[in-house]
Amino acid sequence: MIEDVIKKFNYDDNFASFLRKLYPYLIEYFKTTNKYLVDMALMSCPIVLGCNSLDLLKKLDMLDNDGVVQDDDLKRSSGVYSSKPVINYIDGEFVVSDIKRVIGISFGDINSEYAQDTLIHELCHLIKSSYQEYLIDRDILIQKNGLIEIYYQLTYENGIVKKTFIKEMGVGFEEGLNTLAEEWLAKQVIRPDFKISGYQTIAQIVQNVLVNQQVVDELLNAQLYKKRASLNGYYDEFVKIVDVIYKKYLEMFASIFDQEKFDKLNEEIRNLIISQYQPLLDKIISAKKEL
């Protein structure tokens, strides 16, 4: 199957070689029973190397930054997975007729470890988006990327479908899980001692909740098939606090050259972890022990 992907997008020899090496581990991580999702995802999305994420999305008319991630985040980003639905208004109903997808990597040389690691991260986002990424409930568009849920209001004006951002949730939880997937895959195809360079705090926060295989399987199933996870009744609370911490984390990263602001945000994150996150984690772990 990976040869069909390489042929479809005419990837060069170096890039093709890396994809061949990575492919079986993608199947292993996402489980053999989900192989068709991996194949479907790879066939649906071109990968562009050596580009700025913001410039790429502007060029393809795919820029949509109403949520957590903003223009400045894209400018700094080493990679991006993005999609855009084609929505038509037919017989009084909104319909998703097509989905445009792209992965952009800022590094031009796939032999670079950072390029490989970034690609792995974005491919994981792609794979977890491939099944029912967009759903429409009357005039509400719901986008699901793994555990991320984004809601838009749809309107039809002068022959044009417009979407207006309503809310977004689950970004922190999903980025943490995605980083854990990235790290496992990177250790298989880059080197066994490879260390991730981003989202370490968020990854650890999420890692703590993976108390047994049942939880791991439940969350993977929720990511791939967009089914609601439980965490024994604490899922919504966990999503909310991790989202708050994640947003603070992005702000802190953006203020890296402003030491005073950086330290202030770092302290706020520490306080959130102690006062809200840790008590909730204790509840989740205790509840799991009682099962």
PDB file of all heavy atoms in Angstrom, residues 235-264:
ATOM      1  N   TYR A 235     -13.921  12.267  32.153  1.00  0.00           N
ATOM      2  CA  TYR A 235     -13.332  12.689  30.882  1.00  0.00           C
ATOM      3  C   TYR A 235     -13.505  14.194  30.622  1.00  0.00           C
ATOM      4  O   TYR A 235     -12.531  14.885  30.306  1.00  0.00           O
ATOM      5  CB  TYR A 235     -13.960  11.905  29.716  1.00  0.00           C
ATOM      6  CG  TYR A 235     -13.444  12.324  28.361  1.00  0.00           C
ATOM      7  CD1 TYR A 235     -12.220  11.864  27.907  1.00  0.00           C
ATOM      8  CD2 TYR A 235     -14.174  13.194  27.546  1.00  0.00           C
ATOM      9  CE1 TYR A 235     -11.728  12.251  26.670  1.00  0.00           C
ATOM     10  CE2 TYR A 235     -13.687  13.583  26.310  1.00  0.00           C
ATOM     11  CZ  TYR A 235     -12.464  13.112  25.881  1.00  0.00           C
ATOM     12  OH  TYR A 235     -11.979  13.510  24.661  1.00  0.00           O
ATOM     13  N   ASP A 236     -14.707  14.705  30.750  1.00  0.00           N
ATOM     14  CA  ASP A 236     -14.955  16.122  30.450  1.00  0.00           C
ATOM     15  C   ASP A 236     -14.139  17.039  31.355  1.00  0.00           C
ATOM     16  O   ASP A 236     -13.589  18.049  30.901  1.00  0.00           O
ATOM     17  CB  ASP A 236     -16.448  16.445  30.579  1.00  0.00           C
ATOM     18  CG  ASP A 236     -17.271  15.832  29.451  1.00  0.00           C
ATOM     19  OD1 ASP A 236     -16.688  15.522  28.393  1.00  0.00           O
ATOM     20  OD2 ASP A 236     -18.491  15.644  29.627  1.00  0.00           O
ATOM     21  N   GLU A 237     -14.060  16.697  32.635  1.00  0.00           N
ATOM     22  CA  GLU A 237     -13.264  17.501  33.570  1.00  0.00           C
ATOM     23  C   GLU A 237     -11.790  17.481  33.186  1.00  0.00           C
ATOM     24  O   GLU A 237     -11.108  18.512  33.225  1.00  0.00           O
ATOM     25  CB  GLU A 237     -13.417  16.966  34.992  1.00  0.00           C
ATOM     26  CG  GLU A 237     -14.722  17.299  35.670  1.00  0.00           C
ATOM     27  CD  GLU A 237     -14.730  16.800  37.113  1.00  0.00           C
ATOM     28  OE1 GLU A 237     -13.941  17.322  37.931  1.00  0.00           O
ATOM     29  OE2 GLU A 237     -15.512  15.873  37.409  1.00  0.00           O
ATOM     30  N   PHE A 238     -11.305  16.298  32.818  1.00  0.00           N
ATOM     31  CA  PHE A 238      -9.893  16.161  32.463  1.00  0.00           C
ATOM     32  C   PHE A 238      -9.575  16.973  31.210  1.00  0.00           C
ATOM     33  O   PHE A 238      -8.557  17.656  31.141  1.00  0.00           O
ATOM     34  CB  PHE A 238      -9.542  14.685  32.253  1.00  0.00           C
ATOM     35  CG  PHE A 238      -8.071  14.423  32.173  1.00  0.00           C
ATOM     36  CD1 PHE A 238      -7.283  14.416  33.315  1.00  0.00           C
ATOM     37  CD2 PHE A 238      -7.455  14.200  30.947  1.00  0.00           C
ATOM     38  CE1 PHE A 238      -5.910  14.188  33.245  1.00  0.00           C
ATOM     39  CE2 PHE A 238      -6.086  13.971  30.861  1.00  0.00           C
ATOM     40  CZ  PHE A 238      -5.307  13.961  32.014  1.00  0.00           C
ATOM     41  N   VAL A 239     -10.456  16.893  30.222  1.00  0.00           N
ATOM     42  CA  VAL A 239     -10.265  17.653  28.984  1.00  0.00           C
ATOM     43  C   VAL A 239     -10.167  19.151  29.278  1.00  0.00           C
ATOM     44  O   VAL A 239      -9.291  19.851  28.755  1.00  0.00           O
ATOM     45  CB  VAL A 239     -11.425  17.387  27.995  1.00  0.00           C
ATOM     46  CG1 VAL A 239     -11.460  18.455  26.900  1.00  0.00           C
ATOM     47  CG2 VAL A 239     -11.264  16.007  27.356  1.00  0.00           C
ATOM     48  N   LYS A 240     -11.048  19.646  30.136  1.00  0.00           N
ATOM     49  CA  LYS A 240     -11.078  21.080  30.438  1.00  0.00           C
ATOM     50  C   LYS A 240      -9.793  21.558  31.094  1.00  0.00           C
ATOM     51  O   LYS A 240      -9.217  22.575  30.690  1.00  0.00           O
ATOM     52  CB  LYS A 240     -12.280  21.395  31.337  1.00  0.00           C
ATOM     53  CG  LYS A 240     -13.614  21.346  30.621  1.00  0.00           C
ATOM     54  CD  LYS A 240     -14.773  21.627  31.588  1.00  0.00           C
ATOM     55  CE  LYS A 240     -16.109  21.511  30.862  1.00  0.00           C
ATOM     56  NZ  LYS A 240     -17.253  21.728  31.796  1.00  0.00           N
ATOM     57  N   ILE A 241      -9.313  20.855  32.107  1.00  0.00           N
ATOM     58  CA  ILE A 241      -8.116  21.322  32.809  1.00  0.00           C
ATOM     59  C   ILE A 241      -6.872  21.203  31.938  1.00  0.00           C
ATOM     60  O   ILE A 241      -6.005  22.074  31.952  1.00  0.00           O
ATOM     61  CB  ILE A 241      -7.934  20.593  34.167  1.00  0.00           C
ATOM     62  CG1 ILE A 241      -6.743  21.196  34.917  1.00  0.00           C
ATOM     63  CG2 ILE A 241      -7.742  19.113  33.988  1.00  0.00           C
ATOM     64  CD1 ILE A 241      -6.848  22.692  35.177  1.00  0.00           C
ATOM     65  N   VAL A 242      -6.791  20.130  31.142  1.00  0.00           N
ATOM     66  CA  VAL A 242      -5.624  19.980  30.272  1.00  0.00           C
ATOM     67  C   VAL A 242      -5.642  21.046  29.177  1.00  0.00           C
ATOM     68  O   VAL A 242      -4.593  21.560  28.789  1.00  0.00           O
ATOM     69  CB  VAL A 242      -5.551  18.562  29.665  1.00  0.00           C
ATOM     70  CG1 VAL A 242      -4.371  18.452  28.712  1.00  0.00           C
ATOM     71  CG2 VAL A 242      -5.416  17.521  30.767  1.00  0.00           C
ATOM     72  N   ASP A 243      -6.811  21.422  28.696  1.00  0.00           N
ATOM     73  CA  ASP A 243      -6.902  22.510  27.717  1.00  0.00           C
ATOM     74  C   ASP A 243      -6.409  23.826  28.307  1.00  0.00           C
ATOM     75  O   ASP A 243      -5.704  24.600  27.644  1.00  0.00           O
ATOM     76  CB  ASP A 243      -8.348  22.687  27.228  1.00  0.00           C
ATOM     77  CG  ASP A 243      -8.664  21.830  26.009  1.00  0.00           C
ATOM     78  OD1 ASP A 243      -7.736  21.220  25.448  1.00  0.00           O
ATOM     79  OD2 ASP A 243      -9.849  21.773  25.611  1.00  0.00           O
ATOM     80  N   VAL A 244      -6.769  24.105  29.551  1.00  0.00           N
ATOM     81  CA  VAL A 244      -6.319  25.342  30.209  1.00  0.00           C
ATOM     82  C   VAL A 244      -4.799  25.350  30.336  1.00  0.00           C
ATOM     83  O   VAL A 244      -4.134  26.345  30.026  1.00  0.00           O
ATOM     84  CB  VAL A 244      -6.972  25.485  31.604  1.00  0.00           C
ATOM     85  CG1 VAL A 244      -6.355  26.654  32.370  1.00  0.00           C
ATOM     86  CG2 VAL A 244      -8.472  25.694  31.473  1.00  0.00           C
ATOM     87  N   ILE A 245      -4.242  24.219  30.768  1.00  0.00           N
ATOM     88  CA  ILE A 245      -2.784  24.117  30.913  1.00  0.00           C
ATOM     89  C   ILE A 245      -2.104  24.240  29.552  1.00  0.00           C
ATOM     90  O   ILE A 245      -1.084  24.925  29.408  1.00  0.00           O
ATOM     91  CB  ILE A 245      -2.400  22.787  31.597  1.00  0.00           C
ATOM     92  CG1 ILE A 245      -2.922  22.767  33.039  1.00  0.00           C
ATOM     93  CG2 ILE A 245      -0.886  22.576  31.572  1.00  0.00           C
ATOM     94  CD1 ILE A 245      -2.783  21.425  33.736  1.00  0.00           C
ATOM     95  N   TYR A 246      -2.677  23.620  28.539  1.00  0.00           N
ATOM     96  CA  TYR A 246      -2.107  23.656  27.193  1.00  0.00           C
ATOM     97  C   TYR A 246      -2.049  25.081  26.651  1.00  0.00           C
ATOM     98  O   TYR A 246      -1.042  25.504  26.074  1.00  0.00           O
ATOM     99  CB  TYR A 246      -2.928  22.769  26.264  1.00  0.00           C
ATOM    100  CG  TYR A 246      -2.493  22.810  24.810  1.00  0.00           C
ATOM    101  CD1 TYR A 246      -1.302  22.195  24.407  1.00  0.00           C
ATOM    102  CD2 TYR A 246      -3.253  23.459  23.850  1.00  0.00           C
ATOM    103  CE1 TYR A 246      -0.902  22.230  23.085  1.00  0.00           C
ATOM    104  CE2 TYR A 246      -2.861  23.496  22.528  1.00  0.00           C
ATOM    105  CZ  TYR A 246      -1.680  22.880  22.149  1.00  0.00           C
ATOM    106  OH  TYR A 246      -1.285  22.923  20.832  1.00  0.00           O
ATOM    107  N   LYS A 247      -3.119  25.844  26.848  1.00  0.00           N
ATOM    108  CA  LYS A 247      -3.142  27.226  26.374  1.00  0.00           C
ATOM    109  C   LYS A 247      -2.077  28.066  27.078  1.00  0.00           C
ATOM    110  O   LYS A 247      -1.416  28.893  26.455  1.00  0.00           O
ATOM    111  CB  LYS A 247      -4.535  27.831  26.586  1.00  0.00           C
ATOM    112  CG  LYS A 247      -5.595  27.251  25.655  1.00  0.00           C
ATOM    113  CD  LYS A 247      -6.989  27.760  25.992  1.00  0.00           C
ATOM    114  CE  LYS A 247      -8.037  27.076  25.131  1.00  0.00           C
ATOM    115  NZ  LYS A 247      -9.418  27.505  25.492  1.00  0.00           N
ATOM    116  N   LYS A 248      -1.921  27.847  28.376  1.00  0.00           N
ATOM    117  CA  LYS A 248      -0.870  28.544  29.125  1.00  0.00           C
ATOM    118  C   LYS A 248       0.508  28.145  28.604  1.00  0.00           C
ATOM    119  O   LYS A 248       1.426  28.965  28.511  1.00  0.00           O
ATOM    120  CB  LYS A 248      -0.973  28.201  30.616  1.00  0.00           C
ATOM    121  CG  LYS A 248      -2.214  28.713  31.312  1.00  0.00           C
ATOM    122  CD  LYS A 248      -2.149  30.197  31.561  1.00  0.00           C
ATOM    123  CE  LYS A 248      -3.343  30.674  32.352  1.00  0.00           C
ATOM    124  NZ  LYS A 248      -3.336  32.149  32.524  1.00  0.00           N
ATOM    125  N   TYR A 249       0.632  26.880  28.256  1.00  0.00           N
ATOM    126  CA  TYR A 249       1.898  26.348  27.733  1.00  0.00           C
ATOM    127  C   TYR A 249       2.253  27.034  26.412  1.00  0.00           C
ATOM    128  O   TYR A 249       3.412  27.415  26.194  1.00  0.00           O
ATOM    129  CB  TYR A 249       1.754  24.835  27.548  1.00  0.00           C
ATOM    130  CG  TYR A 249       3.030  24.106  27.209  1.00  0.00           C
ATOM    131  CD1 TYR A 249       3.914  23.710  28.206  1.00  0.00           C
ATOM    132  CD2 TYR A 249       3.352  23.794  25.890  1.00  0.00           C
ATOM    133  CE1 TYR A 249       5.087  23.024  27.902  1.00  0.00           C
ATOM    134  CE2 TYR A 249       4.517  23.110  25.574  1.00  0.00           C
ATOM    135  CZ  TYR A 249       5.378  22.729  26.579  1.00  0.00           C
ATOM    136  OH  TYR A 249       6.538  22.062  26.267  1.00  0.00           O
ATOM    137  N   LEU A 250       1.259  27.214  25.538  1.00  0.00           N
ATOM    138  CA  LEU A 250       1.502  27.911  24.273  1.00  0.00           C
ATOM    139  C   LEU A 250       1.895  29.364  24.513  1.00  0.00           C
ATOM    140  O   LEU A 250       2.800  29.891  23.858  1.00  0.00           O
ATOM    141  CB  LEU A 250       0.256  27.862  23.387  1.00  0.00           C
ATOM    142  CG  LEU A 250      -0.083  26.555  22.675  1.00  0.00           C
ATOM    143  CD1 LEU A 250      -1.304  26.750  21.779  1.00  0.00           C
ATOM    144  CD2 LEU A 250       1.085  26.030  21.860  1.00  0.00           C
ATOM    145  N   GLU A 251       1.220  30.005  25.453  1.00  0.00           N
ATOM    146  CA  GLU A 251       1.557  31.395  25.785  1.00  0.00           C
ATOM    147  C   GLU A 251       2.982  31.485  26.313  1.00  0.00           C
ATOM    148  O   GLU A 251       3.727  32.408  25.965  1.00  0.00           O
ATOM    149  CB  GLU A 251       0.593  31.929  26.847  1.00  0.00           C
ATOM    150  CG  GLU A 251      -0.811  32.226  26.373  1.00  0.00           C
ATOM    151  CD  GLU A 251      -1.668  32.799  27.493  1.00  0.00           C
ATOM    152  OE1 GLU A 251      -1.269  33.843  28.060  1.00  0.00           O
ATOM    153  OE2 GLU A 251      -2.697  32.202  27.818  1.00  0.00           O
ATOM    154  N   MET A 252       3.362  30.546  27.148  1.00  0.00           N
ATOM    155  CA  MET A 252       4.699  30.538  27.722  1.00  0.00           C
ATOM    156  C   MET A 252       5.749  30.354  26.628  1.00  0.00           C
ATOM    157  O   MET A 252       6.773  31.054  26.608  1.00  0.00           O
ATOM    158  CB  MET A 252       4.817  29.421  28.764  1.00  0.00           C
ATOM    159  CG  MET A 252       6.131  29.421  29.533  1.00  0.00           C
ATOM    160  SD  MET A 252       6.214  28.108  30.785  1.00  0.00           S
ATOM    161  CE  MET A 252       6.406  26.644  29.766  1.00  0.00           C
ATOM    162  N   PHE A 253       5.486  29.437  25.719  1.00  0.00           N
ATOM    163  CA  PHE A 253       6.417  29.199  24.617  1.00  0.00           C
ATOM    164  C   PHE A 253       6.571  30.445  23.746  1.00  0.00           C
ATOM    165  O   PHE A 253       7.662  30.773  23.295  1.00  0.00           O
ATOM    166  CB  PHE A 253       5.927  28.026  23.766  1.00  0.00           C
ATOM    167  CG  PHE A 253       6.834  27.671  22.626  1.00  0.00           C
ATOM    168  CD1 PHE A 253       8.059  27.066  22.855  1.00  0.00           C
ATOM    169  CD2 PHE A 253       6.461  27.947  21.321  1.00  0.00           C
ATOM    170  CE1 PHE A 253       8.905  26.740  21.805  1.00  0.00           C
ATOM    171  CE2 PHE A 253       7.292  27.627  20.260  1.00  0.00           C
ATOM    172  CZ  PHE A 253       8.526  27.023  20.502  1.00  0.00           C
ATOM    173  N   ALA A 254       5.457  31.163  23.545  1.00  0.00           N
ATOM    174  CA  ALA A 254       5.482  32.367  22.707  1.00  0.00           C
ATOM    175  C   ALA A 254       6.237  33.512  23.372  1.00  0.00           C
ATOM    176  O   ALA A 254       6.709  34.429  22.690  1.00  0.00           O
ATOM    177  CB  ALA A 254       4.054  32.807  22.386  1.00  0.00           C
ATOM    178  N   SER A 255       6.362  33.467  24.695  1.00  0.00           N
ATOM    179  CA  SER A 255       7.032  34.556  25.422  1.00  0.00           C
ATOM    180  C   SER A 255       8.436  34.165  25.872  1.00  0.00           C
ATOM    181  O   SER A 255       8.947  34.704  26.865  1.00  0.00           O
ATOM    182  CB  SER A 255       6.189  34.958  26.640  1.00  0.00           C
ATOM    183  OG  SER A 255       6.060  33.869  27.536  1.00  0.00           O
ATOM    184  N   ILE A 256       9.054  33.267  25.135  1.00  0.00           N
ATOM    185  CA  ILE A 256      10.355  32.731  25.541  1.00  0.00           C
ATOM    186  C   ILE A 256      11.441  33.807  25.655  1.00  0.00           C
ATOM    187  O   ILE A 256      12.417  33.673  26.387  1.00  0.00           O
ATOM    188  CB  ILE A 256      10.799  31.605  24.575  1.00  0.00           C
ATOM    189  CG1 ILE A 256      11.950  30.811  25.177  1.00  0.00           C
ATOM    190  CG2 ILE A 256      11.131  32.172  23.193  1.00  0.00           C
ATOM    191  CD1 ILE A 256      12.253  29.518  24.458  1.00  0.00           C
ATOM    192  N   PHE A 257      11.261  34.934  24.936  1.00  0.00           N
ATOM    193  CA  PHE A 257      12.257  36.021  24.991  1.00  0.00           C
ATOM    194  C   PHE A 257      11.851  37.113  25.984  1.00  0.00           C
ATOM    195  O   PHE A 257      12.501  38.155  26.067  1.00  0.00           O
ATOM    196  CB  PHE A 257      12.462  36.613  23.602  1.00  0.00           C
ATOM    197  CG  PHE A 257      13.024  35.627  22.609  1.00  0.00           C
ATOM    198  CD1 PHE A 257      12.255  35.174  21.546  1.00  0.00           C
ATOM    199  CD2 PHE A 257      14.312  35.127  22.759  1.00  0.00           C
ATOM    200  CE1 PHE A 257      12.762  34.248  20.645  1.00  0.00           C
ATOM    201  CE2 PHE A 257      14.821  34.203  21.863  1.00  0.00           C
ATOM    202  CZ  PHE A 257      14.044  33.761  20.793  1.00  0.00           C
ATOM    203  N   ASP A 258      10.765  36.898  26.694  1.00  0.00           N
ATOM    204  CA  ASP A 258      10.310  37.817  27.742  1.00  0.00           C
ATOM    205  C   ASP A 258      10.365  37.047  29.055  1.00  0.00           C
ATOM    206  O   ASP A 258       9.402  36.399  29.450  1.00  0.00           O
ATOM    207  CB  ASP A 258       8.887  38.293  27.436  1.00  0.00           C
ATOM    208  CG  ASP A 258       8.372  39.307  28.438  1.00  0.00           C
ATOM    209  OD1 ASP A 258       8.922  39.366  29.551  1.00  0.00           O
ATOM    210  OD2 ASP A 258       7.406  40.024  28.118  1.00  0.00           O
ATOM    211  N   GLN A 259      11.511  37.104  29.726  1.00  0.00           N
ATOM    212  CA  GLN A 259      11.762  36.257  30.879  1.00  0.00           C
ATOM    213  C   GLN A 259      10.734  36.437  31.983  1.00  0.00           C
ATOM    214  O   GLN A 259      10.281  35.464  32.598  1.00  0.00           O
ATOM    215  CB  GLN A 259      13.157  36.527  31.446  1.00  0.00           C
ATOM    216  CG  GLN A 259      13.618  35.497  32.462  1.00  0.00           C
ATOM    217  CD  GLN A 259      13.736  34.096  31.872  1.00  0.00           C
ATOM    218  OE1 GLN A 259      14.339  33.919  30.823  1.00  0.00           O
ATOM    219  NE2 GLN A 259      13.177  33.093  32.541  1.00  0.00           N
ATOM    220  N   GLU A 260      10.324  37.673  32.230  1.00  0.00           N
ATOM    221  CA  GLU A 260       9.350  37.929  33.293  1.00  0.00           C
ATOM    222  C   GLU A 260       8.010  37.265  32.997  1.00  0.00           C
ATOM    223  O   GLU A 260       7.424  36.593  33.860  1.00  0.00           O
ATOM    224  CB  GLU A 260       9.159  39.439  33.471  1.00  0.00           C
ATOM    225  CG  GLU A 260       8.224  39.793  34.619  1.00  0.00           C
ATOM    226  CD  GLU A 260       8.089  41.296  34.828  1.00  0.00           C
ATOM    227  OE1 GLU A 260       8.861  42.052  34.207  1.00  0.00           O
ATOM    228  OE2 GLU A 260       7.209  41.698  35.617  1.00  0.00           O
ATOM    229  N   LYS A 261       7.541  37.428  31.765  1.00  0.00           N
ATOM    230  CA  LYS A 261       6.264  36.821  31.380  1.00  0.00           C
ATOM    231  C   LYS A 261       6.386  35.304  31.352  1.00  0.00           C
ATOM    232  O   LYS A 261       5.469  34.586  31.778  1.00  0.00           O
ATOM    233  CB  LYS A 261       5.829  37.341  30.010  1.00  0.00           C
ATOM    234  CG  LYS A 261       4.457  36.856  29.583  1.00  0.00           C
ATOM    235  CD  LYS A 261       4.026  37.482  28.263  1.00  0.00           C
ATOM    236  CE  LYS A 261       2.632  36.997  27.862  1.00  0.00           C
ATOM    237  NZ  LYS A 261       2.194  37.584  26.560  1.00  0.00           N
ATOM    238  N   PHE A 262       7.510  34.813  30.857  1.00  0.00           N
ATOM    239  CA  PHE A 262       7.756  33.371  30.793  1.00  0.00           C
ATOM    240  C   PHE A 262       7.679  32.755  32.186  1.00  0.00           C
ATOM    241  O   PHE A 262       7.003  31.739  32.404  1.00  0.00           O
ATOM    242  CB  PHE A 262       9.124  33.109  30.170  1.00  0.00           C
ATOM    243  CG  PHE A 262       9.447  31.653  29.973  1.00  0.00           C
ATOM    244  CD1 PHE A 262       9.121  31.004  28.788  1.00  0.00           C
ATOM    245  CD2 PHE A 262      10.086  30.930  30.973  1.00  0.00           C
ATOM    246  CE1 PHE A 262       9.418  29.655  28.603  1.00  0.00           C
ATOM    247  CE2 PHE A 262      10.387  29.578  30.798  1.00  0.00           C
ATOM    248  CZ  PHE A 262      10.048  28.952  29.614  1.00  0.00           C
ATOM    249  N   ASP A 263       8.363  33.370  33.133  1.00  0.00           N
ATOM    250  CA  ASP A 263       8.384  32.850  34.507  1.00  0.00           C
ATOM    251  C   ASP A 263       6.997  32.913  35.140  1.00  0.00           C
ATOM    252  O   ASP A 263       6.606  32.004  35.883  1.00  0.00           O
ATOM    253  CB  ASP A 263       9.376  33.654  35.352  1.00  0.00           C
ATOM    254  CG  ASP A 263      10.818  33.397  34.933  1.00  0.00           C
ATOM    255  OD1 ASP A 263      11.067  32.387  34.255  1.00  0.00           O
ATOM    256  OD2 ASP A 263      11.685  34.229  35.287  1.00  0.00           O
ATOM    257  N   LYS A 264       6.263  33.980  34.864  1.00  0.00           N
ATOM    258  CA  LYS A 264       4.912  34.137  35.410  1.00  0.00           C
ATOM    259  C   LYS A 264       3.989  33.025  34.921  1.00  0.00           C
ATOM    260  O   LYS A 264       3.250  32.418  35.701  1.00  0.00           O
ATOM    261  CB  LYS A 264       4.350  35.497  35.014  1.00  0.00           C
ATOM    262  CG  LYS A 264       2.939  35.785  35.530  1.00  0.00           C
ATOM    263  CD  LYS A 264       2.523  37.211  35.170  1.00  0.00           C
ATOM    264  CE  LYS A 264       1.111  37.520  35.678  1.00  0.00           C
ATOM    265  NZ  LYS A 264       0.090  36.729  34.974  1.00  0.00           N
TER     266      LYS A 264
END
